[in-house]
Amino acid sequence: MTTRESTDASAAVPTPAPRRAPSGAVADVVLTVLLLALFGWGFLEAAQWSFQAALFPRIVTGSAFVLAALHLVHALLRLRRRAALTSDGSADTLAAEAEAEADADADDAVQLFRTAGPQRWAAALGWVVGFFVLLFVGGLFVTAPVFSLLYLRFAGGRTWVFSAVYAVVTGVVLYLAFEVALGVPTPPGLFLN
Amino acid sequence: MLTDALSGLAQVFQPVPLMLMLLGVAIGFVVGILPGLGGAVTLALMLPFTFDMQPVEAFAFLLGMWVVTSTTGDITSVLFGVPGEATSAATVLDGHPMTKRGEGGRALGAVLLSSALGAVFGALVLALSIPVIRPIVLAFGPPEFFALTLLGLTFVVALSGQRLLKGFVMAGLGLMVALVGLDPQEGVPRYTFDQLYLWDGIGIVPLVVGLFGGAEVLQLMLSRRSIARAEPGAAPDTSLAGVGQGVRDVFQHWGLVIRSSAIGTGVGIVPGLGGSVAQFMAYGAAQQSSKTPELFGKGAVEGVIASGAVNNAKDSGSLIPTIGFGIPGGAGSAVLLSAFLIVGLNPGEEMLTTSLDVTFSMIWVTVLANFIAVAAAFLLLKPLTRITFISGPLLVPFLLLLLALGAYTANNSFADVLVMIGAAAIGVACIRYDWPRVPFLLAVVLGSLAERYLFLSHSLFGWSWLARPIVLAIGVVMVLAVVTPVVRRVRARDRGMRDQKIEETA
């Protein structure tokens, strides 16, 4: 729903329909609670160590716990304020706030990560997982051509010939650079490990 | 001293040292572009080749290679958002958004020229500091080093702007990650979950590669478009016009170049702080002094200039304690120190008196190698910027391979690849939910240093170190770094409310 649409809707209906809190505000609360738990665990874990080993971790985790708690309060207040605005029917205020937030974060990556649907996310993550599993099993010099070929053919929609040429060139360039010229070790794969 | 300086220059221009320097520059150029293969690693790999060389030949080869990796590491940061070096991470923040806007040429022009100027500045400071190295370095003890680490962190948290609290929380998370591993005092395993791999702590290279590069590659996979985008209907702008603009930007912000170079040289002098710290400190200082701080992180050319200038200046800075005391300023200068010993040079008095011409030859090499690398990079700019207009799916396999290699080659361990994947997930979550990544990264870099210097300070001075003049001065700068943006924001809000009231009454 665009800002324009939401504004029009609020003008037509006297009592606006209840809105859900923006996902960013809820995510802030969830992430802060997770971090709070992590810092709390870190602080308690340090109790098992000697004074010297535990001093700096306790300073760090203790301070971080307090800061995360402050942020949690801040995030909860923000959620409550939004809820109050919703119940007051201040849809315009919320719309303006959402617009301001969108302007503040007018970054391609933010928008893309927000708007990409589950199918695109699943496909992208599937390819990533496939790549790293192949890398672990087959090593670099198998993964480079095989993944390039499959990704370009099926995700990139290129022809078999183009994909094959790209795959071979990538494999050869990496082999020459890392194996022949620099002699730097690369992931060998499960069978050569 | 002038005679020694001229003698050093003449020695560099002998055929053999000159050829070796060009060879070193060529190797450094390629290595700098490849993610994960840092300058220090390359120096270590090439060190055995210098066994039979004369001192000037060895330094022409090694230094020529080392200083160039810093320059070319910025190229992948700008074009692909994958830092070629850990010390190029800050360049990603503004350089890559500029590339996405189709201003890759301008960003590269700015970062390359500021790199060259930073190198000249650093070399000049190195030459001028030779008579006064000792008192400067001796003025800094563990308390001052500790204060500097906190200053670096404060600068970066202050970068979080309106998300100051989030910045502090992320810095806390970064410090906690830095604590993973064996405790440096007693060898107690901390947060290691009984995993041997974690005893050494979490590597900075896989973290940097994942945090920044991972998110960029995922973005390309989701969008399936090129990195840079031309206006709809317009042809992609791969001309060199943007480069000229980038060069002009550098001259327009000459004060920023000098300030960032000074920060780079200053931090480089302090042993152990490293290039990442210097870069983020210069970046933070650039944002604080900018008239448009809100543009930082979204493609501000000032951020690119600051990151470029500091990167090369810090190399010369780290040579100061290496030459003066035999105390390396970082990993790269530690390998160079080995080269000193291999070719029979003793750091300290000998390099400042009887071998002063060799010392000056090193200074000349840092300047000349940088200019050669920058000239070569300028020649390659057109094809380089064209790469960013290539369709996203074509780049994905190559970039994924670079990510994996960047992470793996740090320690030749697949566990580092897993760390990189974890860092990429954190990076994506940070972007998606608007949490700052940079304070996290810098806290990881600074965590172990901060702990070490805190312990040393307390052991040597109790709590009286807090009253040392340099510590107090750094403390004041830290307070200003946090308070200034807050005051600026409050003032801007008040001004906005005043304007609104005036509009309402009118």
Side-chain angles (χ1 to χ4, degrees):
Chain A
M1 184 188 275
T2 63
T3 309
R4 170 90 184 142
E5 282 166 344
S6 64
T7 314
D8 289 348
S10 68
V13 185
T15 315
R19 279 161 168 265
R20 285 183 62 198
S23 63
V26 177
D28 266 3
V29 173
V30 173
L31 289 173
T32 312
V33 168
L34 287 175
L35 286 170
L36 208 58
L38 180 72
F39 294 139
W41 169 80
F43 189 83
L44 294 174
E45 182 79 2
Q48 301 168 15
W49 310 327
S50 65
F51 173 76
Q52 279 211 329
L55 179 63
F56 194 65
R58 285 212 143 176
I59 292 173
V60 168
T61 50
S63 315
F65 187 88
V66 172
L67 289 164
L70 277 174
H71 187 256
L72 183 63
V73 172
H74 183 258
L76 286 171
L77 285 175
R78 218 174 106 209
L79 267 180
R80 201 176 143 192
R81 210 177 106 242
R82 283 174 184 283
L85 283 172
T86 311
S87 61
D88 288 351
S90 310
D92 284 351
T93 316
L94 280 172
E97 235 178 63
E99 195 177 1
E101 259 185 33
D103 285 345
D105 293 330
D107 183 65
D108 281 344
V110 182
Q111 288 303 324
L112 185 67
F113 289 151
R114 273 183 191 166
T115 53
Q119 269 191 329
R120 274 161 83 196
W121 270 105
L125 292 178
W127 281 108
V128 170
V129 170
F131 172 84
F132 285 108
V133 169
L134 187 59
L135 187 72
F136 181 70
V137 176
L140 180 79
F141 300 118
V142 172
T143 306
V146 172
F147 181 81
S148 302
L149 179 76
L150 296 177
Y151 186 82
L152 286 179
R153 179 70 192 95
F154 296 109
R158 309 283 157 161
T159 62
W160 278 110
V161 175
F162 181 90
S163 308
V165 170
Y166 183 105
V168 170
V169 170
T170 306
V172 169
V173 166
L174 286 177
Y175 181 78
L176 290 177
F178 285 89
E179 191 74 17
V180 178
L182 295 169
V184 175
T186 54
L190 211 53
F191 300 108
L192 289 179
N193 209 349
Chain B
M1 201 161 109
L2 188 66
T3 321
D4 290 312
L6 292 173
S7 165
L9 182 64
Q11 289 182 56
V12 173
F13 273 102
Q14 295 296 313
V16 177
L18 196 62
M19 288 305 294
L20 283 169
M21 183 178 73
L22 291 174
L23 179 64
V25 168
I27 295 171
F29 199 99
V30 175
V31 166
I33 287 179
L34 295 173
L37 275 178
V41 176
T42 319
L43 277 182
L45 288 171
M46 295 296 158
L47 199 59
F49 294 102
T50 62
F51 286 169
D52 296 327
M53 291 182 189
Q54 294 299 311
V56 177
E57 293 170 1
F59 295 129
F61 179 59
L62 294 175
L63 264 179
M65 189 188 320
W66 184 45
V67 295
V68 166
T69 54
S70 305
T71 308
T72 54
D74 287 336
I75 293 176
T76 47
S77 294
V78 169
L79 294 180
F80 307 117
V82 181
E85 297 258 312
T87 52
S88 297
T91 316
V92 176
L93 301 178
D94 285 293
H96 195 56
M98 284 181 76
T99 301
K100 285 177 176 173
R101 284 203 308 250
E103 293 183 329
R106 183 183 173 193
L108 283 175
V111 80
L112 289 174
L113 184 65
S114 62
S115 287
L117 295 179
V120 173
F121 181 94
L124 202 65
V125 172
L126 175 57
L128 293 174
S129 68
I130 283 174
V132 288
I133 283 175
R134 277 177 185 272
I136 290 175
V137 179
L138 284 177
F140 278 73
E144 286 75 20
F145 292 156
F146 176 68
L148 276 176
T149 56
L150 291 189
L151 178 66
L153 204 56
T154 311
F155 264 143
V156 173
V157 171
L159 289 180
S160 313
Q162 295 188 343
R163 302 166 298 168
L164 203 65
L165 208 48
K166 277 185 176 177
F168 275 116
V169 174
M170 287 303 284
L173 182 64
L175 285 172
M176 202 175 159
V177 170
L179 290 168
V180 173
L182 289 183
D183 149 53
Q185 276 79 38
E186 297 178 343
V188 176
R190 299 186 301 199
Y191 309 128
T192 54
F193 305 100
D194 296 328
Q195 296 294 313
L196 205 59
Y197 165 76
L198 292 176
W199 280 26
D200 276 342
I202 289 176
I204 189 68
V205 174
L207 214 62
V208 172
V209 170
L211 208 56
F212 292 98
E216 289 305 324
V217 175
L218 192 60
Q219 199 186 330
L220 274 183
M221 294 178 91
L222 288 170
S223 73
R224 300 186 172 198
R225 297 200 306 208
S226 58
I227 294 171
R229 285 171 203 134
E231 291 298 317
D237 180 14
T238 56
S239 72
L240 294 182
V243 178
Q245 180 58 46
V247 169
R248 280 194 295 279
D249 286 328
V250 173
F251 287 119
Q252 278 167 8
H253 296 97
W254 59 270
L256 177 63
V257 176
I258 292 177
R259 197 168 55 246
S260 305
S261 304
I263 291 172
T265 314
V267 175
I269 292 172
V270 181
L273 276 189
S276 305
V277 183
Q279 228 193 16
F280 285 117
M281 282 177 81
Y283 185 84
Q287 192 192 27
Q288 297 220 324
S289 63
S290 170
K291 288 174 185 164
T292 52
E294 70 281 359
L295 293 181
F296 274 67
K298 293 173 183 168
V301 77
E302 290 165 84
V304 176
I305 293 169
S307 312
V310 72
N311 224 356
N312 286 27
K314 66 112 181 39
D315 289 341
S316 298
S318 73
L319 282 177
I320 293 174
T322 313
I323 292 169
F325 298 105
I327 302 170
S333 44
V335 183
L336 272 178
L337 187 65
S338 319
F340 288 169
L341 303 174
I342 287 170
V343 297
L345 281 175
N346 292 313
E349 202 175 342
E350 185 185 316
M351 290 197 71
L352 301 173
T353 52
T354 50
S355 301
L356 193 57
D357 56 335
V358 178
T359 306
F360 269 106
S361 76
M362 292 167 63
I363 297 169
W364 286 115
V365 167
T366 56
V367 175
L368 288 170
N370 261 299
F371 272 99
I372 292 167
V374 168
F378 270 115
L379 288 175
L380 295 170
L381 277 188
K382 197 164 183 173
L384 286 173
T385 48
R386 195 168 279 162
I387 292 172
T388 61
F389 287 95
I390 292 175
S391 154
L394 277 184
L395 288 176
V396 165
F398 188 65
L399 291 180
L400 266 176
L401 288 162
L402 286 191
L403 282 185
L405 280 168
Y408 184 85
T409 49
N411 293 309
N412 301 331
S413 162
F414 203 84
D416 280 338
V417 178
L418 297 179
V419 169
M420 186 273 289
I421 295 170
I426 292 175
V428 171
C430 284
I431 293 174
R432 170 66 182 83
Y433 298 111
D434 198 24
W435 286 68
R437 289 176 288 178
V438 181
F440 169 76
L441 175 66
L442 195 71
V444 177
V445 175
L446 288 177
S448 53
L449 285 174
E451 182 176 17
R452 190 190 317 149
Y453 289 133
L454 178 65
F455 257 102
L456 282 172
S457 304
H458 185 63
S459 309
L460 292 171
F461 307 103
W463 292 108
S464 66
W465 61 269
L466 284 164
R468 284 162 73 104
I470 297 177
V471 173
L472 287 174
I474 294 172
V476 170
V477 178
M478 267 159 46
V479 172
L480 286 175
V482 174
V483 171
T484 310
V486 175
V487 170
R488 200 182 281 173
R489 219 167 37 242
V490 170
R491 276 186 184 167
R493 200 179 57 198
D494 288 349
R495 209 169 31 242
M497 285 169 71
R498 246 195 335 266
D499 292 347
Q500 201 180 351
K501 273 183 187 169
I502 291 168
E503 271 179 30
E504 281 171 7
T505 47

